[in-house]
PDB file of all heavy atoms in Angstrom:
ATOM      1  N   ALA A 199     105.212 145.286 111.718  1.00  0.00           N
ATOM      2  CA  ALA A 199     105.620 143.990 112.273  1.00  0.00           C
ATOM      3  C   ALA A 199     104.617 142.949 111.849  1.00  0.00           C
ATOM      4  O   ALA A 199     105.000 141.826 111.441  1.00  0.00           O
ATOM      5  CB  ALA A 199     105.706 144.089 113.779  1.00  0.00           C
ATOM      6  N   LEU A 203     105.688 139.518 109.942  1.00  0.00           N
ATOM      7  CA  LEU A 203     105.647 138.234 110.589  1.00  0.00           C
ATOM      8  C   LEU A 203     104.637 137.254 109.895  1.00  0.00           C
ATOM      9  O   LEU A 203     104.830 136.131 109.914  1.00  0.00           O
ATOM     10  CB  LEU A 203     105.258 138.487 112.071  1.00  0.00           C
ATOM     11  CG  LEU A 203     106.341 139.181 112.911  1.00  0.00           C
ATOM     12  CD1 LEU A 203     105.775 139.502 114.328  1.00  0.00           C
ATOM     13  CD2 LEU A 203     107.650 138.337 113.028  1.00  0.00           C
ATOM     14  N   ALA A 255     103.019 132.961 117.437  1.00  0.00           N
ATOM     15  CA  ALA A 255     102.978 133.341 118.809  1.00  0.00           C
ATOM     16  C   ALA A 255     103.283 134.858 118.911  1.00  0.00           C
ATOM     17  O   ALA A 255     102.673 135.647 119.618  1.00  0.00           O
ATOM     18  CB  ALA A 255     103.962 132.600 119.661  1.00  0.00           C
ATOM     19  N   ARG A 256     104.231 135.307 118.049  1.00  0.00           N
ATOM     20  CA  ARG A 256     104.519 136.785 117.973  1.00  0.00           C
ATOM     21  C   ARG A 256     103.327 137.581 117.400  1.00  0.00           C
ATOM     22  O   ARG A 256     103.006 138.639 117.880  1.00  0.00           O
ATOM     23  CB  ARG A 256     105.780 137.001 117.180  1.00  0.00           C
ATOM     24  CG  ARG A 256     107.032 136.490 117.721  1.00  0.00           C
ATOM     25  CD  ARG A 256     107.299 136.951 119.156  1.00  0.00           C
ATOM     26  NE  ARG A 256     107.295 138.453 119.191  1.00  0.00           N
ATOM     27  CZ  ARG A 256     106.676 139.099 120.215  1.00  0.00           C
ATOM     28  NH1 ARG A 256     106.075 138.486 121.220  1.00  0.00           N
ATOM     29  NH2 ARG A 256     106.667 140.422 120.185  1.00  0.00           N
ATOM     30  N   LEU A 257     102.700 137.007 116.421  1.00  0.00           N
ATOM     31  CA  LEU A 257     101.479 137.651 115.893  1.00  0.00           C
ATOM     32  C   LEU A 257     100.405 137.780 116.960  1.00  0.00           C
ATOM     33  O   LEU A 257      99.721 138.860 117.053  1.00  0.00           O
ATOM     34  CB  LEU A 257     100.954 136.865 114.738  1.00  0.00           C
ATOM     35  CG  LEU A 257     101.705 136.958 113.412  1.00  0.00           C
ATOM     36  CD1 LEU A 257     101.212 135.870 112.406  1.00  0.00           C
ATOM     37  CD2 LEU A 257     101.596 138.317 112.736  1.00  0.00           C
ATOM     38  N   ALA A 258     100.278 136.798 117.809  1.00  0.00           N
ATOM     39  CA  ALA A 258      99.309 136.814 118.880  1.00  0.00           C
ATOM     40  C   ALA A 258      99.649 137.844 119.905  1.00  0.00           C
ATOM     41  O   ALA A 258      98.754 138.495 120.590  1.00  0.00           O
ATOM     42  CB  ALA A 258      99.156 135.471 119.531  1.00  0.00           C
ATOM     43  N   ALA A 259     100.937 138.156 120.067  1.00  0.00           N
ATOM     44  CA  ALA A 259     101.428 139.062 121.108  1.00  0.00           C
ATOM     45  C   ALA A 259     101.290 140.574 120.651  1.00  0.00           C
ATOM     46  O   ALA A 259     101.386 141.465 121.397  1.00  0.00           O
ATOM     47  CB  ALA A 259     102.857 138.803 121.503  1.00  0.00           C
ATOM     48  N   LEU A 260     101.212 140.729 119.359  1.00  0.00           N
ATOM     49  CA  LEU A 260     101.012 142.134 118.841  1.00  0.00           C
ATOM     50  C   LEU A 260      99.719 142.756 119.270  1.00  0.00           C
ATOM     51  O   LEU A 260      98.737 142.020 119.548  1.00  0.00           O
ATOM     52  CB  LEU A 260     101.139 142.152 117.307  1.00  0.00           C
ATOM     53  CG  LEU A 260     102.449 141.709 116.649  1.00  0.00           C
ATOM     54  CD1 LEU A 260     102.318 141.674 115.147  1.00  0.00           C
ATOM     55  CD2 LEU A 260     103.557 142.657 117.026  1.00  0.00           C
ATOM     56  N   ALA A 261      99.676 144.036 119.359  1.00  0.00           N
ATOM     57  CA  ALA A 261      98.500 144.747 119.685  1.00  0.00           C
ATOM     58  C   ALA A 261      98.048 145.622 118.486  1.00  0.00           C
ATOM     59  O   ALA A 261      98.788 146.524 118.102  1.00  0.00           O
ATOM     60  CB  ALA A 261      98.684 145.637 120.956  1.00  0.00           C
ATOM     61  N   PRO A 262      96.927 145.365 117.832  1.00  0.00           N
ATOM     62  CA  PRO A 262      95.983 144.250 118.163  1.00  0.00           C
ATOM     63  C   PRO A 262      96.565 142.888 117.688  1.00  0.00           C
ATOM     64  O   PRO A 262      97.339 142.854 116.786  1.00  0.00           O
ATOM     65  CB  PRO A 262      94.739 144.616 117.406  1.00  0.00           C
ATOM     66  CG  PRO A 262      95.240 145.392 116.225  1.00  0.00           C
ATOM     67  CD  PRO A 262      96.455 146.226 116.717  1.00  0.00           C
ATOM     68  N   PHE A 312     113.835 144.548 113.162  1.00  0.00           N
ATOM     69  CA  PHE A 312     113.031 144.352 114.354  1.00  0.00           C
ATOM     70  C   PHE A 312     113.829 144.810 115.617  1.00  0.00           C
ATOM     71  O   PHE A 312     113.221 145.308 116.578  1.00  0.00           O
ATOM     72  CB  PHE A 312     112.662 142.845 114.512  1.00  0.00           C
ATOM     73  CG  PHE A 312     111.422 142.461 113.748  1.00  0.00           C
ATOM     74  CD1 PHE A 312     111.535 142.009 112.435  1.00  0.00           C
ATOM     75  CD2 PHE A 312     110.160 142.586 114.393  1.00  0.00           C
ATOM     76  CE1 PHE A 312     110.423 141.701 111.795  1.00  0.00           C
ATOM     77  CE2 PHE A 312     108.998 142.216 113.681  1.00  0.00           C
ATOM     78  CZ  PHE A 312     109.094 141.799 112.357  1.00  0.00           C
ATOM     79  N   ALA A 315     113.364 148.416 115.996  1.00  0.00           N
ATOM     80  CA  ALA A 315     111.996 148.631 116.465  1.00  0.00           C
ATOM     81  C   ALA A 315     111.827 148.255 117.957  1.00  0.00           C
ATOM     82  O   ALA A 315     110.720 148.364 118.528  1.00  0.00           O
ATOM     83  CB  ALA A 315     110.993 147.982 115.669  1.00  0.00           C
ATOM     84  N   ARG A 316     112.899 147.751 118.582  1.00  0.00           N
ATOM     85  CA  ARG A 316     112.894 147.340 119.985  1.00  0.00           C
ATOM     86  C   ARG A 316     111.944 146.210 120.261  1.00  0.00           C
ATOM     87  O   ARG A 316     111.497 146.009 121.377  1.00  0.00           O
ATOM     88  CB  ARG A 316     112.537 148.526 120.902  1.00  0.00           C
ATOM     89  CG  ARG A 316     113.595 149.663 120.832  1.00  0.00           C
ATOM     90  CD  ARG A 316     113.232 150.774 121.768  1.00  0.00           C
ATOM     91  NE  ARG A 316     112.050 151.445 121.415  1.00  0.00           N
ATOM     92  CZ  ARG A 316     111.432 152.426 122.122  1.00  0.00           C
ATOM     93  NH1 ARG A 316     111.930 152.718 123.320  1.00  0.00           N
ATOM     94  NH2 ARG A 316     110.306 152.966 121.755  1.00  0.00           N
ATOM     95  N   ASP A 317     111.720 145.365 119.282  1.00  0.00           N
ATOM     96  CA  ASP A 317     110.898 144.183 119.423  1.00  0.00           C
ATOM     97  C   ASP A 317     111.883 143.016 119.603  1.00  0.00           C
ATOM     98  O   ASP A 317     112.127 142.182 118.770  1.00  0.00           O
ATOM     99  CB  ASP A 317     110.055 143.948 118.168  1.00  0.00           C
ATOM    100  CG  ASP A 317     109.147 142.717 118.296  1.00  0.00           C
ATOM    101  OD1 ASP A 317     109.211 142.028 119.321  1.00  0.00           O
ATOM    102  OD2 ASP A 317     108.371 142.483 117.344  1.00  0.00           O
ATOM    103  N   MET A 318     112.358 142.867 120.906  1.00  0.00           N
ATOM    104  CA  MET A 318     113.416 141.868 121.108  1.00  0.00           C
ATOM    105  C   MET A 318     112.862 140.445 121.196  1.00  0.00           C
ATOM    106  O   MET A 318     113.578 139.499 120.928  1.00  0.00           O
ATOM    107  CB  MET A 318     114.098 142.222 122.451  1.00  0.00           C
ATOM    108  CG  MET A 318     114.779 143.576 122.435  1.00  0.00           C
ATOM    109  SD  MET A 318     115.774 143.917 120.898  1.00  0.00           S
ATOM    110  CE  MET A 318     117.059 142.696 121.069  1.00  0.00           C
ATOM    111  N   GLU A 319     111.565 140.319 121.451  1.00  0.00           N
ATOM    112  CA  GLU A 319     110.949 138.971 121.424  1.00  0.00           C
ATOM    113  C   GLU A 319     110.946 138.393 120.027  1.00  0.00           C
ATOM    114  O   GLU A 319     111.271 137.260 119.759  1.00  0.00           O
ATOM    115  CB  GLU A 319     109.586 138.981 121.992  1.00  0.00           C
ATOM    116  CG  GLU A 319     109.474 139.270 123.525  1.00  0.00           C
ATOM    117  CD  GLU A 319     109.475 140.731 123.826  1.00  0.00           C
ATOM    118  OE1 GLU A 319     109.659 141.591 122.842  1.00  0.00           O
ATOM    119  OE2 GLU A 319     109.334 141.101 124.974  1.00  0.00           O
ATOM    120  N   SER A 320     110.580 139.308 119.015  1.00  0.00           N
ATOM    121  CA  SER A 320     110.677 138.839 117.641  1.00  0.00           C
ATOM    122  C   SER A 320     112.080 138.576 117.168  1.00  0.00           C
ATOM    123  O   SER A 320     112.340 137.668 116.425  1.00  0.00           O
ATOM    124  CB  SER A 320     110.002 139.847 116.760  1.00  0.00           C
ATOM    125  OG  SER A 320     108.570 139.837 116.985  1.00  0.00           O
ATOM    126  N   VAL A 321     113.005 139.399 117.644  1.00  0.00           N
ATOM    127  CA  VAL A 321     114.489 139.206 117.347  1.00  0.00           C
ATOM    128  C   VAL A 321     114.854 137.843 117.743  1.00  0.00           C
ATOM    129  O   VAL A 321     115.539 137.124 117.053  1.00  0.00           O
ATOM    130  CB  VAL A 321     115.319 140.326 117.924  1.00  0.00           C
ATOM    131  CG1 VAL A 321     116.811 139.953 117.883  1.00  0.00           C
ATOM    132  CG2 VAL A 321     115.071 141.646 117.288  1.00  0.00           C
ATOM    133  N   ALA A 438     109.505 152.235 115.562  1.00  0.00           N
ATOM    134  CA  ALA A 438     109.106 151.624 116.828  1.00  0.00           C
ATOM    135  C   ALA A 438     107.622 151.762 117.040  1.00  0.00           C
ATOM    136  O   ALA A 438     107.024 150.993 117.675  1.00  0.00           O
ATOM    137  CB  ALA A 438     109.894 152.311 117.962  1.00  0.00           C
ATOM    138  N   SER A 439     107.020 152.797 116.501  1.00  0.00           N
ATOM    139  CA  SER A 439     105.614 153.068 116.773  1.00  0.00           C
ATOM    140  C   SER A 439     104.698 152.040 116.078  1.00  0.00           C
ATOM    141  O   SER A 439     103.587 151.927 116.408  1.00  0.00           O
ATOM    142  CB  SER A 439     105.111 154.445 116.363  1.00  0.00           C
ATOM    143  OG  SER A 439     105.430 154.626 114.935  1.00  0.00           O
ATOM    144  N   SER A 440     105.298 151.281 115.148  1.00  0.00           N
ATOM    145  CA  SER A 440     104.500 150.273 114.443  1.00  0.00           C
ATOM    146  C   SER A 440     104.475 148.933 115.177  1.00  0.00           C
ATOM    147  O   SER A 440     103.865 148.023 114.772  1.00  0.00           O
ATOM    148  CB  SER A 440     105.091 150.040 113.036  1.00  0.00           C
ATOM    149  OG  SER A 440     106.295 149.409 113.108  1.00  0.00           O
ATOM    150  N   VAL A 441     105.184 148.866 116.267  1.00  0.00           N
ATOM    151  CA  VAL A 441     105.246 147.657 117.080  1.00  0.00           C
ATOM    152  C   VAL A 441     104.747 148.002 118.520  1.00  0.00           C
ATOM    153  O   VAL A 441     105.229 148.866 119.150  1.00  0.00           O
ATOM    154  CB  VAL A 441     106.701 147.100 117.226  1.00  0.00           C
ATOM    155  CG1 VAL A 441     106.638 145.747 117.965  1.00  0.00           C
ATOM    156  CG2 VAL A 441     107.297 146.931 115.815  1.00  0.00           C
ATOM    157  N   GLN A 442     103.662 147.294 118.944  1.00  0.00           N
ATOM    158  CA  GLN A 442     103.089 147.557 120.229  1.00  0.00           C
ATOM    159  C   GLN A 442     103.010 146.258 121.003  1.00  0.00           C
ATOM    160  O   GLN A 442     102.153 145.405 120.760  1.00  0.00           O
ATOM    161  CB  GLN A 442     101.776 148.212 120.127  1.00  0.00           C
ATOM    162  CG  GLN A 442     101.716 149.495 119.325  1.00  0.00           C
ATOM    163  CD  GLN A 442     100.338 150.006 119.077  1.00  0.00           C
ATOM    164  OE1 GLN A 442      99.502 149.922 119.995  1.00  0.00           O
ATOM    165  NE2 GLN A 442     100.077 150.509 117.933  1.00  0.00           N
ATOM    166  N   ILE A 443     103.937 146.019 121.868  1.00  0.00           N
ATOM    167  CA  ILE A 443     104.043 144.729 122.614  1.00  0.00           C
ATOM    168  C   ILE A 443     104.174 145.045 124.066  1.00  0.00           C
ATOM    169  O   ILE A 443     105.284 144.730 124.705  1.00  0.00           O
ATOM    170  CB  ILE A 443     105.137 143.854 122.050  1.00  0.00           C
ATOM    171  CG1 ILE A 443     105.085 143.821 120.542  1.00  0.00           C
ATOM    172  CG2 ILE A 443     105.081 142.448 122.589  1.00  0.00           C
ATOM    173  CD1 ILE A 443     106.221 143.031 119.851  1.00  0.00           C
ATOM    174  N   GLY A 444     103.272 145.637 124.669  1.00  0.00           N
ATOM    175  CA  GLY A 444     103.258 145.820 126.094  1.00  0.00           C
ATOM    176  C   GLY A 444     104.197 146.915 126.636  1.00  0.00           C
ATOM    177  O   GLY A 444     104.594 146.843 127.775  1.00  0.00           O
ATOM    178  N   TYR A 445     104.580 147.824 125.750  1.00  0.00           N
ATOM    179  CA  TYR A 445     105.377 148.918 126.331  1.00  0.00           C
ATOM    180  C   TYR A 445     104.944 150.194 125.546  1.00  0.00           C
ATOM    181  O   TYR A 445     104.325 150.189 124.527  1.00  0.00           O
ATOM    182  CB  TYR A 445     106.869 148.707 126.096  1.00  0.00           C
ATOM    183  CG  TYR A 445     107.360 148.449 124.702  1.00  0.00           C
ATOM    184  CD1 TYR A 445     107.458 149.544 123.801  1.00  0.00           C
ATOM    185  CD2 TYR A 445     107.661 147.172 124.248  1.00  0.00           C
ATOM    186  CE1 TYR A 445     107.875 149.294 122.481  1.00  0.00           C
ATOM    187  CE2 TYR A 445     108.033 146.967 122.976  1.00  0.00           C
ATOM    188  CZ  TYR A 445     108.170 148.026 122.055  1.00  0.00           C
ATOM    189  OH  TYR A 445     108.553 147.769 120.785  1.00  0.00           O
ATOM    190  N   ASP A 446     105.304 151.338 126.048  1.00  0.00           N
ATOM    191  CA  ASP A 446     105.032 152.624 125.469  1.00  0.00           C
ATOM    192  C   ASP A 446     105.984 152.887 124.349  1.00  0.00           C
ATOM    193  O   ASP A 446     107.167 153.187 124.604  1.00  0.00           O
ATOM    194  CB  ASP A 446     105.049 153.741 126.517  1.00  0.00           C
ATOM    195  CG  ASP A 446     104.585 155.070 125.929  1.00  0.00           C
ATOM    196  OD1 ASP A 446     104.402 155.176 124.689  1.00  0.00           O
ATOM    197  OD2 ASP A 446     104.553 156.042 126.680  1.00  0.00           O
ATOM    198  N   SER A 447     105.527 152.837 123.056  1.00  0.00           N
ATOM    199  CA  SER A 447     106.447 152.962 121.955  1.00  0.00           C
ATOM    200  C   SER A 447     106.976 154.341 121.774  1.00  0.00           C
ATOM    201  O   SER A 447     107.826 154.625 120.961  1.00  0.00           O
ATOM    202  CB  SER A 447     105.742 152.502 120.700  1.00  0.00           C
ATOM    203  OG  SER A 447     104.602 153.270 120.482  1.00  0.00           O
TER     204      SER A 447
END
Side-chain angles (χ1 to χ4, degrees):
L203 293 172
R256 293 305 306 139
L257 285 170
L260 295 175
F312 276 90
R316 296 183 294 174
D317 181 359
M318 301 313 296
E319 291 86 353
S320 292
V321 167
S439 61
S440 67
V441 185
Q442 302 174 41
I443 312 178
Y445 57 77
D446 184 355
S447 61

